[in-house]
Amino acid sequence: LILEGETMRPDNYPVIKNDEIYLPVDFIKDHVDKYIFWDAKTGKLTITTEYRVLRMKTDELTGYVNENPFSLNLAVYDIGDTAYMPKVFLEELYNISISHSEDYNIVYVDYIDKDMELAKTQPKNTYLRYEPDKKSPSIEKLPAGTEVSVYETAGDAGEFTKVRTEKGLIGYVSTKSLDGYSTQPGYSKEDIVPDLKEPKPIEGKINLVWDQLNANENDSESSRTYHNGLDVLSPTWFKFDRES
């Protein structure tokens, strides 16, 4: 698993299911969206933004945004205690691109809202090495005109440059071997969730009460009671420890 120019060592790796890439939710939480929450016991995934709450359940093709249903092309599913989210949904929701190199079985992720610097190799053969050192073993021999993503210089006086190939391999090449630099500008994706009007702030005081429902009843909308003049009904979870 590659995140831009870094090789990741996550607890859970991506999986390929029916030719679709799925990323573990803990990777998304650590590197893409810290406001994503996974409940393994109920199989529910929750994503929160400033004005929206998205909820999805494993193996279901209907999600909810602020309690309004919307359709999913592919469902979230779980392996053990970890949820996995499909590439098609992640790329639509977040400013990331996800690719898979079958040659090396590498999944690499890029932030598309960041500018990406590109370059091309010039000599007949350019050696991609593990370390910024001429004596370091080579990973692959790159033909002239190979386009690479450029990350940083390294070694004495920037003699080497850290790059990533189109197949996802990361290593170092001689800085002198690169030419034809260009910048791929970043951009932000449009919001894909249903068009909802931004809520207007409530003027004056807000009336909130705690609703004493137990955990089993709290999922049932029919068990809730609403009253005139009440703005917020906040549920309360509780249980008794029989051994106490």
Side-chain angles (χ1 to χ4, degrees):
L1 176 60
I2 304 293
L3 177 60
E4 295 200 310
E6 299 296 330
T7 301
M8 311 303 292
R9 296 286 185 265
D11 294 331
N12 300 289
Y13 280 85
V15 297
I16 308 295
K17 181 180 179 181
N18 297 328
D19 297 325
E20 176 72 0
I21 304 170
Y22 288 79
L23 295 185
V25 69
D26 49 352
F27 172 82
I28 299 300
K29 189 175 184 68
D30 290 341
H31 302 286
V32 180
D33 181 6
K34 64 180 179 180
Y35 298 110
I36 186 169
F37 305 95
W38 162 243
D39 187 337
K41 291 183 178 180
T42 61
K44 290 182 178 180
L45 188 67
T46 303
I47 301 171
T48 61
T49 66
E50 185 176 4
Y51 297 112
R52 297 170 181 172
V53 177
L54 285 76
R55 301 185 190 279
M56 290 159 281
K57 197 166 185 178
T58 52
D59 300 323
E60 293 187 3
L61 292 176
T62 299
Y64 295 87
V65 53
N66 292 0
E67 304 303 331
N68 297 305
F70 70 98
S71 298
L72 298 167
N73 294 323
L74 292 171
V76 174
Y77 80 100
D78 63 327
I79 299 178
D81 291 334
T82 302
Y84 283 79
M85 304 175 68
K87 166 187 172 179
V88 63
F89 180 74
L90 291 170
E91 287 189 332
E92 288 178 341
L93 184 62
Y94 299 113
N95 290 315
I96 60 174
S97 67
I98 305 168
S99 304
H100 177 227
S101 169
E102 295 185 1
D103 292 344
Y104 298 99
N105 200 26
I106 295 173
V107 170
Y108 48 99
V109 180
D110 291 303
Y111 301 116
I112 65 170
D113 55 351
K114 293 183 180 180
D115 293 348
M116 179 179 292
E117 189 174 8
L118 305 173
K120 292 184 179 180
T121 57
Q122 295 306 311
K124 183 178 180 180
N125 291 313
T126 299
Y127 290 94
L128 180 69
R129 301 185 183 277
Y130 286 99
E131 302 292 338
D133 190 314
K134 292 180 180 180
K135 297 181 180 180
S136 176
S138 64
I139 302 171
E140 190 173 69
K141 189 185 296 183
L142 306 178
T146 300
E147 188 172 65
V148 294
S149 301
V150 177
Y151 293 103
E152 60 188 19
T153 56
D156 296 335
E159 183 182 2
F160 288 87
T161 297
K162 186 178 184 179
V163 301
R164 191 187 74 198
T165 71
E166 292 181 338
K167 295 180 180 179
L169 294 176
I170 291 179
Y172 296 87
V173 299
S174 169
T175 301
K176 294 181 179 179
S177 70
L178 298 177
D179 200 356
Y181 286 88
S182 63
T183 300
Q184 179 178 300
Y187 65 97
S188 295
K189 287 186 174 293
E190 295 181 359
D191 199 344
I192 62 151
V193 297
D195 185 21
L196 298 174
K197 293 183 179 180
E198 186 175 305
K200 295 181 179 180
I202 298 176
E203 296 181 1
K205 294 182 178 180
I206 297 176
N207 296 316
L208 177 149
V209 299
W210 297 98
D211 193 0
Q212 294 187 0
L213 297 175
N214 65 44
N216 294 327
E217 293 175 338
N218 199 54
D219 279 339
S220 176
E221 183 69 21
S222 62
S223 64
R224 300 174 185 171
T225 302
Y226 296 91
H227 303 278
N228 292 332
L230 178 62
D231 299 305
V232 181
L233 180 64
S234 185
T236 302
W237 288 268
F238 66 92
K239 66 178 181 179
F240 292 101
D241 187 346
R242 296 179 179 179
E243 295 181 358
S244 298

